[in-house]
Amino acid sequence: MSSPSTTAAAPVSADAPRALSLSDLALVLVVIIWGTNYTVVKEALGSFPPLAFMALRFAIAAVAMAVVLHTREGWKPLPRSTLLKLVGLGFVGNTLYQLCFILGLSHTTAANSGMLTSGTPVLTALLGAALGVDRIRKPLAMGLVLAVPGMLLIVSARGPELDAATRQGDLLILGGSLCWALYTVGLRSLGAELSALRITALTMITGAPGVILMGLPSVADLKVESIGPGAWFGLVYSALIPLVLAYVVWSRSVQAVGSSRTAIYNSGTPVVAAVTAWLVRGEQPTGWQILGAGLVISGVLVSRRR
């Protein structure tokens, strides 16, 4: 990315799309990683109990992030206020988010969960604007108008059941969406003096103990001999790539392009998830889901306009 030129240049239309940047490519990579991870985890959960899988996954990720941080940047003292912010973000973006997601999913349907979490980009944009971190400009608003209904089409085509029996789970899933939105917006408050690697590592390390404790009883009951190599590979992959690599890229992108803009790219994750599930697991998307995918992609493209 280059700084604005001071030499004469042809005027750029206010509606011209932004040039594809490294941040854009990085966000696409994150979408692919997180989207394909649904299928990886789904396959692994055929052998692992969910809470045991999540506890082991976070334990591996936290240790890996600690090693990477120590190797690349070392352990440096931080101001008390900054450290408290990191602890708070780790608690909200990892411990509480995972707690809401796991417990919510156990009390509601997968379709309900997907439909309710599709509102996360809206929550992120609105929180960013309310806290003065970001501004909701016209292109972003238009992108949200397209992307969010597209996500609703993708997940609601599976047959949501919004009734009293799932109300507790629905509220927990909404709580998880709010946690992720707060985490994403909160990253901007840390400023540019902390690297994306340090932010991701410290928030994961501080958030991991709660996740691990939540799944510890399930880990203790785990029958290791019944778990095949493929499931172990899925566990390690989902810890190191979606949690370690993708989280670092996510944090760097939030600092570079803003929380609202980063969040709308995440709207493409269900599209990648649906295509991967179709190719690997034979879960063929419906016509409504294909239409929703088109709206999501259009929303991302519209949001990139100046």
Side-chain angles (χ1 to χ4, degrees), residues 215-226:
L216 204 55
S218 185
V219 172
D221 294 335
L222 198 62
K223 294 179 173 57
V224 178
E225 64 277 4
S226 65

Side-chain angles (χ1 to χ4, degrees), residues 14-51:
D15 293 327
R18 296 176 183 266
L20 194 65
S21 66
L22 289 177
S23 293
D24 291 311
L25 295 175
L27 288 168
V28 171
L29 175 63
V30 170
V31 167
I32 293 172
I33 290 173
W34 282 346
T36 55
N37 189 54
Y38 282 95
T39 295
V40 173
V41 172
K42 185 70 173 178
E43 293 290 321
L45 286 178
S47 302
F48 280 99
L51 290 180

Side-chain angles (χ1 to χ4, degrees), residues 31-297:
V31 167
I32 293 172
I33 290 173
W34 282 346
T36 55
N37 189 54
Y38 282 95
T39 295
V40 173
V41 172
K42 185 70 173 178
E43 293 290 321
L45 286 178
S47 302
F48 280 99
L51 290 180
F53 180 86
M54 192 60 63
L56 291 172
R57 179 189 182 209
F58 258 75
I60 294 171
V63 171
M65 286 300 306
V67 171
V68 171
L69 179 62
H70 178 72
T71 303
R72 296 289 299 274
E73 299 184 8
W75 297 97
K76 303 175 184 178
L78 295 173
R80 179 181 175 84
S81 59
T82 302
L83 185 59
L84 289 176
K85 285 181 181 179
L86 289 168
V87 172
L89 288 172
F91 181 71
V92 171
N94 287 298
T95 306
L96 285 183
Y97 172 78
Q98 292 298 327
L99 181 64
C100 287
F101 180 76
I102 294 296
L103 293 182
L105 194 56
S106 67
H107 289 89
T108 189
T109 65
N112 284 12
S113 177
M115 187 168 68
L116 292 170
T117 55
S118 68
T120 305
V122 175
L123 282 176
T124 304
L126 294 177
L127 277 172
L131 297 175
V133 176
D134 282 319
R135 294 175 59 189
I136 301 181
R137 296 182 174 87
K138 185 178 179 181
L140 177 60
M142 293 174 63
L144 287 170
V145 167
L146 289 170
V148 174
M151 292 183 69
L152 289 174
L153 279 177
I154 291 171
V155 296
S156 64
R158 299 184 182 121
E161 301 173 2
L162 295 171
D163 56 25
T166 63
R167 189 166 299 152
Q168 179 183 359
D170 296 339
L171 291 175
L172 285 168
I173 293 296
L174 282 174
S177 297
L178 180 60
C179 287
W180 185 255
L182 284 169
Y183 172 79
T184 303
V185 173
L187 291 176
R188 298 292 303 282
S189 68
L190 295 173
E193 64 274 7
L194 292 178
S195 69
L197 173 60
R198 187 169 297 277
I199 292 171
T200 306
L202 294 179
T203 55
M204 184 172 292
I205 291 168
T206 57
V211 177
I212 294 170
L213 287 174
M214 179 176 64
L216 204 55
S218 185
V219 172
D221 294 335
L222 198 62
K223 294 179 173 57
V224 178
E225 64 277 4
S226 65
I227 301 173
W232 286 111
F233 173 82
L235 171 68
V236 175
Y237 171 88
S238 67
L240 298 181
I241 306 302
L243 278 183
V244 178
L245 175 62
Y247 267 47
V248 171
V249 175
W250 177 268
S251 298
R252 189 186 302 274
S253 300
V254 169
Q255 289 183 314
V257 303
S259 54
S260 298
R261 197 169 188 77
T262 307
I264 199 169
Y265 266 89
N266 198 33
S267 300
T269 302
V271 179
V272 177
V275 172
T276 306
W278 182 14
L279 295 176
V280 177
R281 297 177 57 84
E283 299 175 3
Q284 186 172 356
T286 67
W288 288 112
Q289 288 175 321
I290 294 173
L291 174 61
L295 288 174
V296 170
I297 294 171

